[in-house]
């Protein structure tokens, strides 16, 4: 173990880095640059293993990642940091996108049931909603976190296929339905199971998160359940479980919304939202929409959390058309490192990691409020590298104040 960690009696964190495809590799380079600064100037230490993976890797090698990668993520990683997965024309023989093992296989195979997606507008960032009322927008109006169920729902079949492939490919029992009454001809279908256990754990996670946010900020948090329980049975169960669990947290205000109306409220009254819990596919869609409130996908970071494992990733994809151009915004990846430090801190009761998470948050927030250079998506001309350098150097200054 690294000497400085022994001195602090803290573990060295094993971080597995999966850069993945396209611009995923570029933003991960910047995220690692920031991690290096924390290693150099704080008591934190990382043991990093980088594993190539994704659609591009599949086109080169016929594999989505090297053999043993899933086991490495499962058995030898305190945290996983992922760039982006997906590359045009990289398809498996069964038609699924190549690289699915490395993202969906991990979400399902490591039981990462809560996909936590904070949506916060930093002062100085241009948000993307334009119109006659934009002058009343204040950054503090947008500060919420969407918690997306991450292991079932409409993703259920693909998640299982990906996890089974990642674990070495034992066969799943397909659900066979001979005939869909009322439908003729060719039919493809995606079952959308929602279970009591799956709902319960992600909803409980969301309540606990609301409690933590309350303790941290001193601001009372409301929790909103978003579903389509007027139409779907799975959602009816989801909402029933939400109501049951709400009885255990009488001090937390709750509200409920159908996903269609929610999309309107999200954009119209974001200040009403604190913690929002949604089934898988609704969470996928709503988080892309919500990102416009924080400056776009280049700003959206996420944490995939389970009871025994955690994975962090920018919400955006691999943007093939910008790949190799040093153009895309690395903040979502850098803020994913912030989430990683924060979660390592709370999981391991490590004040140093929590302090480092706060320092990284301060560095990002000061970068914007002080008019630091930004990439094209935020109206600037800076490169990916330049933004990464700027955040790394702000972190270095803050770390020298804190730890020397
Ligand atoms: C996301 C992405 C993934 C998803 C894709 C890449 C499979 O869109 O993380 O939101 O649909 O979950
Ligand atoms: Mn998505």
């Amino acid at each position: 173990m690294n000497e400085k960690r022994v001195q602090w009696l803290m573990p060295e964190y094993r971080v597995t880095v999966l850069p993945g495809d396209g611009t995923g590799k570029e933003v991960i380079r910047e995220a690692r640059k920031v991690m290096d600064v924390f290693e150099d100037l704080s008591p934190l230490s990382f043991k990093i293993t980088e594993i190539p993976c994704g659609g591009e890797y599949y086109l080169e090698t016929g594999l989505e990642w090297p053999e043993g990668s899933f086991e490495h993520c499962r058995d030898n990683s305190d945290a996983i940091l992922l760039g982006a997965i997906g590359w045009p024309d990289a398809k498996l023989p069964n038609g699924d996108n190549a690289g699915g093992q490395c993202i969906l296989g991990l979400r399902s195979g490591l039981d990462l049931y809560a996909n936590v997606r904070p949506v916060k507008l930093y002062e100085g960032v241009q948000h993307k909603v334009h119109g006659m009322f934009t002058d009343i927008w204040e950054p503090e109006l947008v500060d919420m976190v969407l918690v997306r169920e991450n292991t079932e729902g409409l993703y259920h079949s693909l998640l299982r296929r990906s996890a089974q492939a990642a674990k070495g490919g034992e066969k799943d029992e397909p659900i066979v339905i001979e005939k869909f009454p009322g439908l003729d001809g060719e039919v493809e279908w995606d079952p959308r199971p929602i279970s009591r256990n799956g709902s319960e754990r992600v909803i409980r996670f969301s309540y606990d998160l609301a409690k933590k946010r309350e303790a941290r900020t001193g601001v009372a948090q409301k929790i909103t359940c978003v579903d389509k329980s007027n139409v779907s049975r799975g959602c009816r169960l989801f909402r029933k479980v939400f109501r049951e669990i709400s009885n255990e947290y009488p001090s937390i205000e709750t509200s409920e919304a159908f996903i269609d109306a929610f999309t309107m409220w999200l954009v119209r009254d974001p200040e009403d939202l604190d913690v929002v819990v949604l089934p898988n596919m609704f969470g996928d869609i709503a988080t892309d929409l919500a990102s416009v409130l924080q400056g776009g996908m280049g700003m959206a970071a996420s944490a995939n959390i389970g009871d025994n494992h955690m994975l962090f990733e920018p919400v955006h994809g691999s943007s093939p058309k910008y790949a190799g151009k040093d153009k895309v915004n690395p903040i979502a990846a850098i803020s994913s490192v912030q989430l990683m430090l924060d979660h390592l801190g709370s999981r391991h009761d490590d004040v140093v990691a929590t302090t480092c998470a706060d320092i990284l948050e301060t560095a990002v927030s000061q970068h914007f409020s002080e008019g630091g250079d930004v990439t094209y998506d935020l109206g600037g001309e800076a490169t990916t590298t330049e933004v990464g350098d700027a955040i790394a150097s702000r972190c270095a200054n803050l770390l020298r104040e804190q730890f020397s």
Side-chain angles (χ1 to χ4, degrees):
M1 189 189 293
N2 181 305
E3 228 172 81
K4 65 184 182 178
R5 287 301 270 177
V6 173
Q7 182 196 328
W8 285 74
L9 292 173
M10 299 309 263
E12 179 182 55
Y13 292 118
R14 299 162 304 166
V15 179
T16 300
V17 177
L18 305 171
D21 290 313
T23 54
K25 294 193 259 249
E26 292 166 58
V27 296
I28 286 297
R29 188 189 61 216
E30 301 312 311
R32 284 198 60 174
K33 187 185 283 175
V34 170
M35 286 171 70
D36 286 346
V37 173
F38 280 87
E39 275 228 275
D40 288 348
L41 298 174
S42 85
L44 275 187
S45 268
F46 304 111
K47 184 168 188 293
I48 295 180
T49 310
E50 193 166 303
I51 300 180
C53 62
E56 289 177 276
Y57 185 78
Y58 179 78
L59 292 177
E60 284 160 25
T61 65
L63 295 173
E64 293 172 76
W65 51 4
E67 295 222 357
S69 299
F70 174 77
E71 290 74 13
H72 182 85
C73 291
R74 186 190 58 199
D75 303 333
N76 294 310
S77 311
D78 296 305
I80 302 161
L81 181 65
L82 176 83
I85 295 290
W87 198 247
D89 302 328
K91 300 267 181 221
L92 302 178
N94 70 359
D96 292 346
N97 286 334
Q101 277 186 45
C102 328
I103 174 169
L104 300 166
L106 287 172
R107 286 181 187 167
S108 173
L110 301 182
D111 230 1
L112 306 172
Y113 56 83
N115 193 327
V116 184
R117 299 185 159 184
V119 180
K120 179 173 169 171
L121 179 61
Y122 288 107
E123 187 188 342
V125 172
Q126 274 180 20
H127 61 78
K128 298 280 173 59
V129 179
H130 305 281
M132 60 194 290
F133 295 122
T134 48
D135 57 326
I136 64 163
W137 277 64
E138 302 289 342
E140 57 271 25
L141 296 184
V142 180
D143 184 2
M144 69 183 91
V145 50
L146 276 61
V147 182
R148 161 186 179 190
E149 198 292 318
N150 214 27
T151 56
E152 48 187 48
L154 202 47
Y155 281 71
H156 176 77
S157 307
L158 178 57
L159 282 165
R160 276 187 67 85
R161 282 203 297 281
S162 308
Q164 277 164 353
K167 289 173 182 170
E170 76 268 27
K171 272 263 174 288
D172 200 6
E173 284 296 316
I175 304 169
V176 179
I177 292 196
E178 301 277 323
K179 211 167 162 20
F180 287 85
L183 300 179
D184 290 324
E186 191 176 349
V187 176
E188 292 278 4
W189 75 299
D190 301 280
R192 181 175 175 271
I194 291 187
S195 72
R196 168 173 282 278
N197 288 342
S199 305
E200 212 173 292
R201 61 188 186 173
V202 74
I203 290 168
R204 211 176 282 286
F205 179 97
S206 306
Y207 274 94
D208 291 340
L209 180 62
K211 281 264 176 219
K212 279 189 204 136
R213 277 170 62 96
E214 223 162 75
R216 218 176 238 201
T217 61
V219 180
Q221 297 285 300
K222 181 169 75 177
I223 171 158
T224 303
C225 176
V226 175
D227 56 52
K228 191 71 183 169
S229 51
N230 52 341
V231 168
S232 117
R233 288 180 179 174
C235 283
R236 229 186 293 158
L237 176 59
F238 193 78
R239 188 174 286 199
K240 184 164 87 173
V241 173
F242 177 77
R243 288 184 182 173
E244 286 170 14
I245 293 178
S246 74
N247 294 328
E248 296 171 28
Y249 297 83
S251 66
I252 297 187
E253 189 192 341
T254 63
S255 72
E256 296 169 346
F258 299 136
I259 179 65
D260 46 353
F262 174 76
T263 57
M264 183 174 63
W265 294 334
L266 172 65
V267 175
R268 201 186 58 191
D269 309 309
E271 66 275 19
D272 284 350
L273 299 168
D274 299 314
V275 175
V276 180
V277 61
L278 321 88
N280 204 339
M281 180 59 96
F282 295 156
D284 178 48
I285 297 167
T287 50
D288 275 27
L289 173 59
S291 80
V292 300
L293 303 171
Q294 64 186 144
M297 291 291 268
M299 299 295 291
S302 77
N304 296 251
I305 306 294
D307 292 333
N308 301 309
H309 302 279
M310 44 197 183
L311 178 153
F312 302 84
E313 53 170 336
V315 177
H316 61 70
S318 61
S319 354
K321 81 172 178 187
Y322 292 128
K325 299 206 161 93
D326 201 19
K327 194 171 159 75
V328 299
N329 190 347
I331 295 291
I334 291 171
S335 293
S336 299
V337 171
Q338 194 276 336
L339 291 173
M340 177 175 84
L341 297 178
D342 194 41
H343 281 84
L344 285 170
S346 43
R347 186 153 291 190
H348 298 269
D349 244 334
D350 180 350
V351 190
V352 171
T354 306
T355 305
C356 288
D358 293 345
I359 286 175
L360 181 44
E361 162 89 31
T362 305
V364 170
S365 130
Q366 286 179 353
H367 178 77
F368 291 112
S369 64
E370 292 172 9
D373 289 341
V374 295
T375 41
Y376 81 98
D377 53 315
L378 298 177
E381 289 173 1
T383 62
T384 312
T385 311
E386 284 163 353
V387 174
D389 286 344
I391 302 293
S393 103
R394 280 178 186 275
C395 289
N397 293 337
L398 292 165
L399 286 167
R400 283 193 195 101
E401 278 168 34
Q402 178 77 31
F403 290 107
S404 59

